Structure formats: structure tokens, C-alpha cells
């Protein structure tokens, strides 16, 4: 509702400026409609942000449980917008996934033989957030099963993301983050885990448990990289632990 009100306000402001231009009032002032529309739109957006910062959103909380059933492996994709995202182990014995989700959420489950695919995404718009300001905080808390291998994809916007995968059998991890802070603890006993990630104006920290071997390769124009070279000595463009 509030998002619709914002776009309605934008249309009213733009329409009012164009009407004044057509009636000749702006020519009398020596300005054109297009000289005013963007400044007026920015003022309206600023007012909207200030109003939103004073209002505390009442997010609806929803619990989602996906049963393990006969799944021997799973693909899970989390498409998250802005807020706080927590992913960890802790699903029940008969559960593939359970979680608490604040804000609009939708999920799809597809079962193909012994493979289960789950996609969970926000039903809210991502281009303009419903709430901006210090009171804005939407949270997802997701717990996954430790029993079967999981290919996990996480896509986030402006978020605080914490992925504790240490006790999970995540064999593939794909990260796409926007203006976010992401901390990932990688699996300790998954066998082999392949991690790919890309980020915008983001901070990404990957923690590799002690005793786990790794090969690390990074690319980036305006990015800085810090790797513990005592554990992962540099060899050319990569960092490789001696026992990899």
C-alpha cells in the first residue's frame, strides 16, 4: 500500500508540473516543465524517506517448512531483497528446510525423483523498498538439513547476510550480493564444495574451518582481497593450501 502511495504521489507531482506548463504558468516564470520534474521528484522522494524513517513497519511473519521425504539431494535458492538473512543448520529430522520469514514471501517446491528443488523469494518490490530509514529491518531465518548434499544459491540486495554452513553438506554455493555485508562459514565435512560469487558495493568474508583445504581465486577491478597466506600460500593468481 505504501509503495503504491509513493508512485501515486510521483504521478501527481509530474502531472501537476505538466499541467502548469500547458497552462503557461511556467513560461511566465521562465522555466520549463522538464527543468522542474526531476527536482520535484527528488524532493518527493526525500519526503517519503523522512516519513518512512519515522514509521515502524509491522512485518507479517510466516513460517515455512519443506519436508525431506525421499530426497537424497537438494537445490535451494534464496532470492532476498533488503534486511537481515540468516542461514544455518538445525532443520528437524524429517525436514529439508524450515524458516521464519518477515515480509512478503513466496516459495516453490519441485520434486524430481530423489532430487528436490526449492526456491524462496520476496514478493515485495526490489527497485524501491517499501520502507527506508532506521526502523527498516526485515529478517529471514532459515535452517537446513544436515542429512543430504545441498546446492545452495543466495541472491541478496542491500542486506546483512550471515551463512553458517559449517555443519551442512553444501557441495555447491553460488552468491550474488549487492550493497551488502556477507559473512560465510564454509562446510567442515561436506567432502568437496565449489563456491562461486559476485558482488557489487559489498563486503564478503569467507571463513574456512581449520583442517579444510582450499583453492582460492579472485577477480575484481575496484576490489581489495585479503587472504590468510599462512594457511593458503599464493601461487600466481591463486591461493592454495598445501594439503589441497
Amino acid at each position: 500500500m505504501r509503495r503504491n502511495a509513493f508512485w501515486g504521489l510521483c504521478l501527481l507531482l509530474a502531472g501537476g508540473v505538466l499541467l502548469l506548463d500547458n497552462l503557461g504558468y511556467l513560461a511566465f516564470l521562465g522555466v520549463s516543465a522538464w527543468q522542474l520534474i526531476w527536482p520535484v521528484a527528488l524532493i518527493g522522494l526525500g519526503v517519503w524517506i523522512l516519513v518512512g524513517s519515522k514509521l515502524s513497519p509491522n512485518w507479517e511473519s510466516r513460517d515455512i517448512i519443506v519436508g525431506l521425504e525421499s530426497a537424497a539431494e537438494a537445490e535451494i535458492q534464496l532470492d532476498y531483497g533488503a534486511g537481515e538473512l540468516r542461514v544455518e543448520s538445525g532443520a528437524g529430522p524429517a525436514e529439508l528446510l524450515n524458516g521464519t520469514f518477515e515480509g512478503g514471501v513466496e516459495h516453490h517446491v519441485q520434486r524430481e525423483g530423489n532430487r528436490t528443488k526449492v526456491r524462496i523469494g520476496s514478493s515485495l518490490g526490489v527497485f524501491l523498498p517499501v520502507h527506508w530509514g532506521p526502523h527498516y529491518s526485515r529478517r529471514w531465518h532459515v535452517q537446513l538439513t544436515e542429512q543430504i548434499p545441498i546446492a545452495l544459491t543466495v541472491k541478496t540486495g542491500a542486506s546483512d547476510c550471515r551463512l553458517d554452513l559449517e555443519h551442512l553438506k553444501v557441495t555447491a554455493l553460488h552468491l550474488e550480493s549487492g550493497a551488502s555485508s556477507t559473512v560465510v562459514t564454509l562446510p567442515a565435512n561436506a567432502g568437496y564444495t565449489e563456491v562461486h560469487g559476485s558482488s557489487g558495493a559489498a563486503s564478503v568474508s569467507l571463513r574456512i574451518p581449520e583442517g579444510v583445504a582450499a583453492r582460492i581465486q579472485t577477480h575484481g577491478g575496484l576490489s581489495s582481497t585479503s587472504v590468510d597466506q599462512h594457511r593458503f600460500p599464493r601461487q600466481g593468481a591463486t591461493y592454495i593450501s598445501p594439503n589441497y
Side-chain angles (χ1 to χ4, degrees):
M1 292 296 293
R2 295 176 61 193
R3 182 178 53 189
N4 292 337
F6 171 75
W7 286 112
L9 176 63
C10 289
L11 290 174
L12 284 173
L13 290 173
V17 170
L18 291 173
L19 176 61
L20 292 175
D21 188 39
N22 289 335
L23 294 176
Y25 289 106
L26 297 185
F28 176 77
L29 297 175
V31 297
S32 68
W34 297 110
Q35 289 177 303
L36 288 180
I37 284 180
W38 282 113
V40 169
L42 289 174
I43 291 171
L45 179 59
V47 171
W48 184 253
I49 294 173
L50 290 174
V51 171
S53 71
K54 300 298 182 183
L55 299 176
S56 179
N58 182 21
W59 292 117
E60 175 187 359
S61 179
R62 179 183 174 189
D63 294 331
I64 294 177
I65 296 176
V66 178
L68 186 60
E69 299 188 11
S70 60
E73 56 183 357
E75 294 180 15
I76 298 175
Q77 178 171 327
L78 304 176
D79 295 333
Y80 190 64
E84 297 179 8
L85 173 63
R86 300 290 182 268
V87 178
E88 60 187 5
S89 59
E95 298 170 347
L96 171 60
L97 171 154
N98 73 55
T100 300
F101 304 85
E102 294 181 5
V105 64
E106 54 187 19
H107 76 289
H108 304 278
V109 179
Q110 181 180 356
R111 301 188 186 272
E112 300 175 348
N114 63 356
R115 188 177 189 87
T116 298
K117 298 180 180 180
V118 180
R119 180 185 176 276
I120 300 179
S122 173
S123 61
L124 302 175
V126 296
F127 296 103
L128 276 177
V130 181
H131 297 278
W132 281 357
H135 295 291
Y136 175 77
S137 183
R138 186 165 60 98
R139 299 178 180 87
W140 283 10
H141 182 199
V142 183
Q143 294 180 311
L144 304 178
T145 182
E146 303 176 24
Q147 301 180 49
I148 64 172
I150 296 173
L152 178 63
T153 299
V154 178
K155 300 180 180 181
T156 67
S159 64
D160 176 17
C161 182
R162 298 290 182 270
L163 310 179
D164 184 357
L165 314 180
E166 184 169 2
H167 303 294
L168 296 172
K169 296 179 180 178
V170 174
T171 55
L173 174 63
H174 181 71
L175 289 173
E176 293 183 17
S177 58
S180 65
S181 171
T182 302
V183 177
V184 182
T185 301
L186 294 172
N189 296 292
Y192 177 81
T193 301
E194 187 170 357
V195 180
H196 293 278
S198 61
S199 63
S203 167
V204 179
S205 175
L206 300 178
R207 298 174 178 172
I208 301 173
E210 290 293 333
V212 175
R215 178 179 182 272
I216 304 167
Q217 188 168 7
T218 64
H219 304 276
L222 298 178
S223 64
S224 62
T225 302
S226 176
V227 177
D228 181 359
Q229 295 193 45
H230 292 290
R231 290 187 61 193
F232 311 102
R234 184 168 184 170
Q235 299 183 21
T238 64
Y239 304 84
I240 307 176
S241 56
N243 57 337
Y244 180 77

